[in-house]
Every structure is written in C-alpha cells, then in structure tokens.
Amino acid sequence: MFRRLGLIVALLFICSGCSKVTADNYNKIKVGMALEEVETIIGAPDECSEVIGTKQCMWGDNKRNIKITFVADVATLTLQNGLK
C-alpha cells in the first residue's frame, strides 16, 4: 500500500513539471490559429467562458497562464502571465 502511494506521489510530482504552459509554447501560438491548432500545442484549456460569439480560454492558473480570445474558434488575442 505504501509503495503504491509513493509511486502515485512520484508520478504526480514528475507530471507537475510537464506543463505545456511555457514561454516557448506561447511563442508558437499566433493570431489566426484555430482552437484545434492551439490545443495541439498546449493541450485542452483549463477553463473557457463564452459571451456573444466570443470564447475566452485560459491554460494554467491565476499566477502562470496563457489566455486566448477566440472568435468563431479562431485566435484573435493572446496574452500570457508569469511565463519564463
């Protein structure tokens, strides 16, 4: 039981460093990209909200993130916070 718990903790620790929310990946994202293209680079968003045909999605958390605004599933604005 303790071995399994240790293995799970080790895997979670290793995967926490595997985030695709990086400055390098942010620099690959361009205005005009489709949502699917962005997801290929940084994965599925952690949260999205929609208002009158505009979708705003965020990858990461409040301290370190990538935020992208989509209109008709096409990136129109990209922002980043806390990326190195």
Side-chain angles (χ1 to χ4, degrees):
M1 180 170 149
F2 289 113
R3 260 190 201 172
R4 244 186 231 171
L5 181 59
L7 179 60
I8 291 170
V9 170
L11 288 173
L12 288 174
F13 180 74
I14 290 168
C15 288
S16 67
C18 299
S19 174
K20 291 185 174 188
V21 179
T22 65
D24 286 338
N25 282 342
Y26 174 77
N27 291 329
K28 294 176 186 175
I29 298 167
K30 305 295 179 209
V31 168
M33 285 183 137
L35 175 59
E36 294 79 22
E37 292 175 285
V38 173
E39 288 178 334
T40 299
I41 297 169
I42 56 177
D46 292 303
E47 63 181 67
C48 287
S49 61
E50 291 188 55
V51 177
I52 310 173
T54 301
K55 181 186 289 187
Q56 295 180 332
C57 296
M58 182 176 82
W59 289 258
D61 56 35
N62 288 329
K63 292 183 180 181
R64 189 171 163 261
N65 59 57
I66 295 172
K67 293 180 180 178
I68 303 176
T69 301
F70 296 91
V71 175
D73 283 339
V74 175
T76 58
L77 176 68
T78 64
L79 302 167
Q80 64 87 17
N81 182 46
L83 302 183
K84 295 180 182 179

